[in-house]
Amino acid sequence: MRVPFYDIKAQYDELSGPMDAAVHEVLASGQYSMGAYHRKFEEDMAALHQVNHAIAVNSGTDALRIAMDALGIRAGDEVITTAFTFVASAETIVQTGARPVFVDIELDTYQIDTNLIEAAITPRTKAIMPIHLFGQMADMGAIGDIAERHGLIVIEDAAQAVGARQNGKPAGNFGSAAGLSFYVTKNLGAAGDGGMILTNDDEVAERSRSIRVHGMGRQRYYYDHLGYTSRMHEIQASVLHVKLGRLSEWNEHRREIAELYLRDLRDAGVALPITLAGNTNAWHQFTIGVDRRDELQAFLKERGVDSMIYYPVPLHFHEPYATYGSGEGSLPVTERACREVVSLPCHQHLSLEAAAHVVVCVREFSKSRITV
Ligand SMILES: Cc1ncc(COP(=O)(O)O)c(C=O)c1O
């Protein structure tokens, strides 16, 4: 049985009628930028996330970068985050001129270890950027308390957490701003790139909207800020608008797959992911830990099962980021996770039968290791 890691085309096959109609409507309208779909998508996402403002931009990377600019993060500042994430989290911090300060993660949840944050705070610390990795939120209660005690800003990297909640509250309600990603492979994926800033702060929203379009003020061709060209394309907004209607059912299906894995891999000799108490996990990835990870991956491949490694190398090992870290051994849990993690297929169009096949293969691998 062939089990692909993603099936983006299946999303189109499911929604080709309304998607084709929406895209053609945009093309025929001549309104290719910031039109009706853009406005509607922003309104619907603000309502879904229970925030005052949702600002659609070109990518999740731009969402983080623009949010940090709007929050006044500048050269000389320090931003506490983790090195077990997609590069954009630290990349955008560096682009503002600030310095990422990496703290270690917790094994099994892969979230920032909140017990280590206070030791990393210095007089230059301006913000904490928790990464809601693999579809569940970091412990925002603990992070909020630390931020309040030390007068720090919180920016949520919620790129992987569209649809995730903590104690019933969605991302974007915990910090000063959050960045979402609609990259193709995300739970809610555009037909290309897309992202969004969520905030309850009117001033941050106004600055973000301005920075999104070159820093333009209320009056055309008058500039208040240094900005970018980062409008979400209307065609992307139309695709996302159609897919948004399916998001909660799609995430529910991911949950079903994850529950099947959690149940049937319980005694399979692999470390299963833990969801923090109070979290509704959006299951962007289902990530397990195995000491002979590369062997498992090859074993699965031979049986038609694709898997992915998020992330094989911690950020502080990469040349552009090494200068912000303290070298090998400085983040032992992060480094161990990079050696042991492997993500199994977990998406909205994966059948339960395919997921059961994945389970059989993982169990077969574990058994073969015990008897060898
Ligand atoms: C944790 C994290 N942050 C930021 C981003 C950046 O989003 P985008 O690819 O839309 O620029 C991603 C995307 O993969 C991500 O996974």
Side-chain angles (χ1 to χ4, degrees):
M1 185 186 225
R2 176 89 184 84
V3 186
F5 195 76
Y6 297 116
D7 195 347
I8 308 301
K9 181 156 178 317
Q11 297 180 25
Y12 175 69
D13 292 342
E14 182 185 332
L15 293 169
S16 58
M19 256 163 82
D20 287 355
V23 168
H24 281 119
E25 186 190 331
V26 172
L27 289 174
S29 74
Q31 178 79 55
Y32 299 158
S33 183
M34 302 184 100
Y37 278 114
H38 187 285
R39 269 196 308 279
K40 183 87 181 85
F41 183 58
E42 285 188 338
E43 280 168 20
D44 289 349
M45 288 295 281
L48 181 71
H49 289 87
Q50 299 163 18
V51 290
N52 295 337
H53 306 278
I55 300 136
V57 293
N58 227 342
S59 68
T61 305
D62 277 11
L64 292 174
R65 175 72 206 271
I66 292 172
M68 280 191 280
D69 285 346
L71 285 161
I73 292 171
R74 300 276 179 268
D77 294 336
E78 291 178 356
V79 180
I80 293 175
T81 190
T82 75
F84 188 63
T85 175
F86 182 63
V87 67
S89 319
E91 182 184 42
T92 49
I93 295 169
V94 173
Q95 284 171 351
T96 66
R99 190 181 171 88
V101 174
F102 299 125
V103 304
D104 217 344
I105 57 166
E106 286 178 336
L107 206 59
D108 302 339
T109 67
Y110 307 112
Q111 306 299 321
I112 191 165
D113 186 339
T114 54
N115 295 313
L116 303 176
I117 293 177
E118 279 191 297
I121 293 173
T122 74
R124 288 175 179 271
T125 307
K126 181 84 176 261
I128 306 172
M129 183 197 279
I131 322 290
H132 301 327
L133 204 71
F134 300 152
Q136 73 160 321
M137 297 178 62
D139 182 349
M140 297 310 291
I143 292 166
D145 288 348
I146 296 167
E148 201 176 316
R149 270 203 300 281
H150 297 271
L152 304 176
I153 293 167
V154 176
I155 305 140
E156 301 170 58
D157 181 342
Q160 301 187 7
V162 176
R165 288 166 178 258
Q166 192 158 91
N167 299 319
K169 264 207 294 185
N173 283 279
F174 296 84
S176 296
L180 307 180
S181 166
F182 309 120
Y183 178 64
V184 178
T185 56
K186 294 294 193 289
N187 291 35
L188 179 62
D193 280 298
M196 182 165 267
I197 301 152
L198 303 177
T199 183
N200 282 313
D201 184 318
D202 296 347
E203 278 177 33
V204 171
E206 189 171 336
R207 274 198 294 275
S208 297
R209 286 196 183 97
S210 163
I211 294 168
R212 167 175 70 179
V213 191
H214 303 285
M216 206 178 312
R218 283 178 194 281
Q219 225 179 323
R220 208 167 248 274
Y221 305 123
Y222 286 78
Y223 302 96
D224 298 336
H225 309 280
L226 194 63
Y228 313 100
T229 171
S230 189
R231 290 167 285 233
M232 175 179 279
H233 299 170
E234 188 66 6
I235 285 180
Q236 297 301 352
S238 74
V239 167
L240 288 163
H241 166 76
V242 172
K243 287 192 178 183
L244 182 58
R246 300 287 296 133
L247 180 67
S248 75
E249 278 162 80
W250 281 352
N251 277 352
E252 195 46 54
H253 185 72
R254 284 172 181 263
R255 215 169 341 271
E256 242 185 291
I257 300 285
E259 278 166 13
L260 182 149
Y261 285 153
L262 288 170
R263 185 190 66 221
D264 293 346
L265 291 175
R266 208 172 33 219
D267 52 354
V270 299
L272 294 172
I274 303 274
T275 298
L276 284 166
N279 266 358
T280 305
N281 198 327
W283 293 108
H284 177 58
Q285 301 295 346
F286 189 95
T287 302
I288 59 174
V290 210
D291 51 6
R292 284 156 70 189
R293 181 260 313 273
D294 297 349
E295 279 176 52
L296 171 62
Q297 219 183 5
F299 189 90
L300 293 175
K301 186 89 203 150
E302 277 169 23
R303 283 150 186 82
V305 176
D306 289 350
S307 60
M308 297 286 278
I309 295 171
Y310 302 111
Y311 296 91
V313 181
L315 290 186
H316 64 302
F317 286 11
H318 295 276
E319 203 275 326
Y321 303 97
T323 178
Y324 305 109
S326 305
E328 197 171 338
S330 60
L331 300 169
V333 183
T334 294
E335 293 166 31
R336 179 175 166 191
C338 288
R339 286 191 301 271
E340 295 184 357
V341 290
V342 57
S343 299
L344 303 176
C346 182
H347 58 80
Q348 48 266 54
H349 290 96
L350 188 75
S351 68
L352 294 177
E353 188 195 2
H357 177 65
V358 176
V359 167
V360 167
C361 295
V362 173
R363 295 186 74 89
E364 218 180 289
F365 173 79
S366 300
K367 214 160 73 192
S368 69
R369 287 190 44 205
I370 293 162
T371 49
V372 160

